[in-house]
């Protein structure tokens, strides 16, 4: 069920941008299930490809231009378009600025600012009242977490992790939680934890409700979709400062901002999950005469649960992304630590805060995933033995001596818990049979509670159990600082980084930027419209052109062109390095094993943390912003390339091999073309991620629309911020649809 | 609710001290089990009792939090805007500790970048006060503060004592020593002579001046270069952190750079910088001149000031000069000490100074 749901979700191209900022694992899940149903088709295709005399990987052999069976229509068009553009550029460079009269007449920013004062005068009372609703549980939870002994908090997280995710997740959670105390950020982590818990709870609740409504009403759905798109792509800096006025400062407005920011995936995936319930099931329910409400709550909602849980999981990941930015409105917690560290250039300190966030993200992600049970194969027998390391390592004595005690401890815990629950439920059966049965199904529940309660009382007797003991503290600051310092002055390393910087600037960024902003605006607009039309629909092409006209009229044409150039260069670098890396990882297990945690960290580590080291190495200039963007946007490319290759049926190798095709030949002629939809999805992700990063890069000399937004925030000019924010939204939607269109065409070409 | 907050605070501050004295734990544990000596130091027992109390308070507070909101014990809560730069933050911290010690107030410290957002919050009463505002860089003082022609929705609470100087700086290794690259770079008039030294890829033939990191500070560096006829391009690095990072990295590699900076600031504790003399400030010629001296001030929400005259008076009297602030910055940013400890140590050592600030 889950797989078919998510599968149709991944290739349902009506849902743009839903994967922004989402966790790695769900990407994999999505793709895995997206590809699975096509295996049989793919296999037939491989056979056909190999059998045909000339191996033509990409179909559509007929076209205007072709050479030795390769369809060259698109490359020829691209080449012609480029030639024309260069010719035009040499003639008209910088001669056609957008008419100033229109820009002067279109005072969008002023209109927004007028509207804002009206809103502030009329809405403040209501928004403050809403904020109170969030404030009460938030403050209560924060204070409770602060007062609770750290051991109790640890167990509160580890015990569910053990119960749902097994020993591996339990250990991960254990070390993650311990890490917060070890780097002396326990209270900050508790603040962030409470902020996340409360805001995600509200966001998920609201999202599911809205999602249910959207699934019942087509009109509501079409109304809410563009709103969700905008919410998800609008840089948070646009609304953080207005949030102060409406919701105050501190954790409460931060929670409000997170609720808004994290809402879209929950709405989207709930709506989708309900809408995707198979028609046969609905008919069956109808034939039994179920009413509409019955149908919704008894049939559709349970069926849609995996999708809904995926939405909640996404909600968490997006929320954590914003928890750091919340420092701009006094959100406190780990974000505050990172910000404090950064303003003092204490890189090691910032890294400690960043890694704490990474741990929180991973724990939340894995735990919510484990609890939801999505993707859990219920037919498979649970492993009789817990394993920390791969099965292959069984022979290794060190690994064994590590695993065995933990394993037996865990077994002991399970059997003891089972016995305890049994001894309680047996008499309980006579009193409340329902409760007893429920408890028996979850044998770890009661003992878990018992352990936590006991710990709570014991902890009040031992100081080291109630507040984090100093002897457990372990500072990473100095080694990290030392390493960064060493690299900063290392001539070889700096030589390399400066080489990269000048290459990117001189040969990519600068030429593309002057090219795009130098071309006449009407020409760029027409060309973009044409590309969009050919890749998607005429209707969307017209919308795109209208978007671009808006940007130009708002006086943001050149700035937008810079953003477009910067994003294109970043994405190009991502593809240039990401695809080969992904291929290597697909073929080599060690590389994959090394890459995996690094990519995990790159995706969840707040960008704030690595911006400063990037600046140390690459210097304060616009190229650094491009490099920071690459760091943020490259993981999905690598992952999706690896995944696309690994997901191909094993038979592909065999079939290709039996025709005498070598490894490289198989890779380039069969596997890569077949994995191309997945790689294209990586491209799409890179584009969306790169544009999301535009809002952050102004912190390290990034220019373009993001800089406009950031400047507007610094001078509390909502109009200017919103205009530039809309610019980012428009570019994101345009490029997202465009790349999705390419993915779809690629799929079609492959006959999927 | 307030009580819960306090209890957690007390637990927090106690816990920071006790676990570090690990011997106490052992002493107490052996006491508990009645094994071995009770304690090597006779007066330990008192401390032990103390932290037994702490843990009981913690448990009590939890129980209270879980059931109902407790009664307010402190006279009130001061919602304070804490600056995100060391000098400003340690100033605030000294005020906070006096308020906590002498006025029976709890202080909620809210860290957020200074700027219009924070001023907005002070104006609307979400925050009660802020310290060390630099008039040259604030867009809201002319809007809200009466002394600067504003509407009075933010009240000035006396000068903070720090007088800020802003200018362009070069590292000392560029102007002094045998292999100094720009030995004669003293004033702005010498800048063109050395423009080549500061060239970068992005600035082409011009020298690169690391200007104010954000446009909203209204430094007008580009305009200044133009008006003074200097062959430099002013670049904005977007954030303060980026600005210092760029300077620090260049300094570590002993590369030439010329950058905007101000004093007092921790960067001068980390890097040895020399100011380049700019034409004297004049409002008419701006921005073809240097900056005015920034007589920084503290400021608060008018309603809060009215309701809490004592605190307002303390903040108004409070004054810490550049020279007094410098060692504090040094202790925090160079020696890497905790800001809270540095502030409380200062209070211990300068009791006469701060007692005089208290309202009579």
């Amino acid at each position: 069920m889950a797989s078919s749901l998510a599968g149709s979700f991944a290739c349902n191209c009506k849902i743009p941008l839903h994967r922004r900022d989402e966790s790695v694992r769900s990407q994999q899940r999505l793709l895995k299930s997206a590809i699975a149903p096509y295996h049989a088709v793919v296999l037939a295709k491989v056979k056909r490809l190999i059998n045909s005399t000339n191996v033509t990987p990409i179909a559509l052999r007929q076209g205007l231009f072709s050479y030795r069976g390769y369809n060259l229509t698109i490359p020829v068009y691209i080449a012609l378009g480029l030639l024309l553009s260069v010719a035009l550029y040499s003639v008209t460079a910088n001669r056609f600025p957008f008419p100033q009269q229109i820009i002067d007449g279109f005072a969008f920013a002023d209109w927004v600012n007028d509207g804002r004062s009206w809103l502030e005068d009329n809405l403040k009372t209501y928004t403050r009242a809403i904020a109170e609703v969030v404030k009460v549980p938030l403050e209560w939870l924060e204070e409770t977490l602060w007062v609770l002994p750290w051991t109790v908090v640890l167990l509160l997280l580890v015990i569910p992790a053990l119960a749902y995710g097994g020993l591996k997740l339990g250990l991960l959670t254990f070390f993650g939680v311990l890490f917060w105390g070890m780097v002396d950020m326990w209270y900050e982590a508790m603040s962030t934890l409470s902020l996340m818990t409360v805001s995600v709870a509200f966001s998920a609740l609201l999202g599911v409700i809205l999602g249910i409504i959207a699934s019942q009403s087509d009109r509501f759905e079409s109304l809410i979709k563009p709103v969700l798109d905008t919410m998800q792509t609008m840089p948070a800096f646009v609304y953080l400062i207005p949030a102060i006025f409406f919701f105050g400062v501190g954790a409460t407005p931060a929670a409000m901002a997170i609720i808004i920011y994290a809402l879209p995936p929950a709405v989207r995936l709930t709506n989708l999950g309900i809408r995707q319930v198979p028609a046969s099931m609905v008919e069956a329910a109808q034939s039994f005469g179920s009413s509409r409400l019955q149908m919704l709550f008894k049939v559709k909602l349970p069926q849609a649960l995996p999708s809904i849980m995926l939405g909640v999981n996404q909600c968490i990941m997006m929320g954590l992304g914003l928890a750091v930015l919340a420092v701009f409105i006094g959100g406190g917690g780990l974000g505050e630590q990172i910000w404090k560290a950064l303003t003092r250039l204490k890189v090691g300190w910032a890294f400690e805060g960043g890694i704490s966030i990474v741990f929180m993200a991973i724990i939340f992600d894995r735990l919510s995933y484990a609890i939801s049970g999505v993707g859990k194969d219920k037919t498979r027998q649970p492993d009789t033995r817990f394993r920390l390391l791969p099965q292959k390592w069984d022979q290794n004595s060190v690994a064994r001596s590590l695993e065995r005690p933990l394993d037996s401890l865990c077994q002991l815990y399970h059997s003891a818990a089972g016995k305890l629950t049994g001894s309680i439920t047996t008499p309980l059966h006579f009193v409340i049979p329902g409760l007893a049965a429920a408890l028996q199904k979850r044998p770890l529940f009661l003992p878990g509670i018992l352990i936590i309660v006991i710990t709570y009382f014991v902890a009040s007797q031992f100081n080291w159990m109630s507040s984090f003991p100093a002897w457990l503290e372990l500072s990473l600051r100095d080694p990290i600082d030392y390493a960064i310092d060493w690299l900063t002055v290392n001539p070889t390393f700096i030589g390399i980084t400066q080489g990269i910087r000048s290459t990117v600037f001189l040969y990519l960024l600068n030429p593309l930027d002057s090219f795009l902003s130098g071309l006449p605006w009407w020409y760029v607009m027409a060309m973009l419209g044409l590309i969009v039309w050919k890749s998607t629909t005429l209707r969307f092409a017209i919308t795109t052109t209208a978007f671009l006209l808006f940007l130009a009229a708002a006086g943001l044409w050149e700035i937008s062109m810079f953003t477009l150039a910067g994003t294109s260069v970043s994405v190009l670098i991502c593809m240039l390095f990401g695809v080969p890396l992904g291929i290597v990882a697909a073929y080599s297990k060690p590389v994959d094993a090394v890459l995996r945690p690094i990519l995990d960290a790159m995706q969840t580590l707040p960008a704030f943390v690595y911006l400063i080291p990037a600046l140390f190495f690459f210097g304060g200039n616009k190229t650094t912003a491009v490099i920071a963007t690459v760091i943020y946007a490259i993981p999905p490319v690598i992952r999706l390339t690896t995944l696309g290759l690994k997901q191909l049926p094993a038979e592909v190798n065999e079939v290709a091999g039996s025709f005498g095709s070598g490894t490289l030949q198989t890779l380039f002629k069969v596997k890569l073309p077949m994995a191309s939809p997945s790689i294209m999805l990586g491209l799409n992700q890179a584009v969306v991620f790169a544009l999301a990063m535009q809002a952050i890069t102004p912190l390290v000399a990034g220019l373009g629309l993001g800089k406009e937004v950031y400047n507007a925030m610094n001078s509390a000019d909502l109009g200017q911020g919103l205009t530039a924010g809309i610019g980012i939204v428009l570019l994101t939607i345009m490029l997202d649809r465009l790349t999705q269109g390419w993915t779809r065409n690629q799929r079609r070409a492959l006959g999927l | 609710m307030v009580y819960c907050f306090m209890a957690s605070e007390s637990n927090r501050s106690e816990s920071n001290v006790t676990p570090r004295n690990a011997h106490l734990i052992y002493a107490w544990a052996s006491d508990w089990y009645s094994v071995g000596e009770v304690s090597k130091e006779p007066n330990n027992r008192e401390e032990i009792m103390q932290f037994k109390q702490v843990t009981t308070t913690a448990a009590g507070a939890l129980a209270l939090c879980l059931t109902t909101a407790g009664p307010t014990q402190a006279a009130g809560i001061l919602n304070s805007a804490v600056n995100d730069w060391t000098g400003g933050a340690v100033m605030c911290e000294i005020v906070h500790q006096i308020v906590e010690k002498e006025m029976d107030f709890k202080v909620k410290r809210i860290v957020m970048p200074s700027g219009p957002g924070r001023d907005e919050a002070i104006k609307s009463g979400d925050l009660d006060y802020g310290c060390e505002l630099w008039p040259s860089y604030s867009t809201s003082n002319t809007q809200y503060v009466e002394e600067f022609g504003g509407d009075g929705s933010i009240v000035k609470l006396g000068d903070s004592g720090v007088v800020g100087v802003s200018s362009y700086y070069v590292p000392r290794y560029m102007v002094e020593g045998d292999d100094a690259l720009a030995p004669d770079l003293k004033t702005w008039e010498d800048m063109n002579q050395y423009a080549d030294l500061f060239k970068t890829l992005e600035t082409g033939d011009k020298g690169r001046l690391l200007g104010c990191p954000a446009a909203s500070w209204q430094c007008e560096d580009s305009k200044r270069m133009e008006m003074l006829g200097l062959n430099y391009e002013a670049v904005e690095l977007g954030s303060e952190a980026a600005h210092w990072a760029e300077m620090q990295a260049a300094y570590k590699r002993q590369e030439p750079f010329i950058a905007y900076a101000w004093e007092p600031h921790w960067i001068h504790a980390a890097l040895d910088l020399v100011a380049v003399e700019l034409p004297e400030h004049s409002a008419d010629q701006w921005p073809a001149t240097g900056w005015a001296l920034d007589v920084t001030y503290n400021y608060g929400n008018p309603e809060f000031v009215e309701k809490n005259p004592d605190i307002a008076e303390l903040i108004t009297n409070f004054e810490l000069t550049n020279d007094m602030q410098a060692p504090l910055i040094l202790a925090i940013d160079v020696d890497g000490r905790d800001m809270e400890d540095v502030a409380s140590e200062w209070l211990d050592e300068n009791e006469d100074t701060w007692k005089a600030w208290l309202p009579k």
Side-chain angles (χ1 to χ4, degrees), chain A residues 418-442:
Chain A
K419 286 211 175 94
L420 185 72
T421 310
S423 62
I424 292 170
T425 45
T426 320
L428 196 65
H429 262 300
F430 300 104
V431 195
I432 321 164
L435 182 66
L439 282 176
Q440 225 156 17
K441 253 195 221 160
R442 299 171 190 78

Side-chain angles (χ1 to χ4, degrees), chain A residues 286 304 318 339 347 459 467 650 712:
Chain A
Q286 268 165 351
M318 304 230 357
W339 182 255
V347 179
S467 55

Side-chain angles (χ1 to χ4, degrees), chain B residues 222-280:
Chain B
S222 297
K223 225 169 167 190
R224 180 172 299 111
M225 293 300 107
E226 204 179 292
M227 290 172 81
L228 292 176
L230 295 174
N231 191 24
Y232 283 78
E233 188 179 321
V235 296
E236 253 172 43
L237 291 192
S239 66
E240 229 186 290
H243 188 76
W244 308 129
E246 176 75 355
M247 282 166 78
Q248 202 175 54
Y251 192 93
K252 279 191 181 144
R253 295 195 283 261
Q254 303 276 297
E255 288 167 357
F257 66 87
I258 179 162
Y260 155 87
W262 67 87
E263 285 176 84
H265 190 278
W266 64 262
I267 195 79
H268 301 283
L271 318 177
D272 192 359
L273 303 175
V274 182
V276 174
E277 205 177 298
L278 290 174
E280 204 176 317

Side-chain angles (χ1 to χ4, degrees), chain A residues 128 140 143 147 248 336 339 343 346 456 460-461 467 485 488 494 501 615-616 619-620 698-699 701 707 710 714, chain B residues 1 15 28 55 58 62 65 84 86 111-112 116 126 201-202 216 236-239 241-242 245-246 252-253 333:
Chain A
R128 290 289 170 134
W140 174 81
E143 283 152 18
V147 186
E336 181 189 309
W339 182 255
T343 51
K346 307 279 186 197
Y456 175 72
S460 65
Q461 299 302 318
S467 55
D485 279 353
T488 308
I494 292 303
R501 168 205 165 188
L615 209 96
F616 280 157
L699 288 162
K707 170 97 180 185
Y710 186 72
N714 277 332
Chain B
M1 207 48 81
S15 65
W28 182 61
T55 45
L62 174 85
C65 287
D84 60 355
T86 315
V111 178
M112 62 190 282
D126 290 312
L201 266 185
E202 289 83 2
S216 58
E236 253 172 43
L237 291 192
S239 66
E246 176 75 355
K252 279 191 181 144
R253 295 195 283 261
D333 278 320

Side-chain angles (χ1 to χ4, degrees), chain A residues 528-551:
Chain A
L528 281 175
L530 193 69
I531 295 172
V532 172
W533 177 26
K534 285 294 157 197
S535 313
T536 59
T537 58
L538 180 60
R539 200 174 139 194
F540 188 61
I542 294 169
T543 324
T544 305
T545 318
F547 285 172
L548 292 169
L549 267 174
F550 167 84
L551 282 185

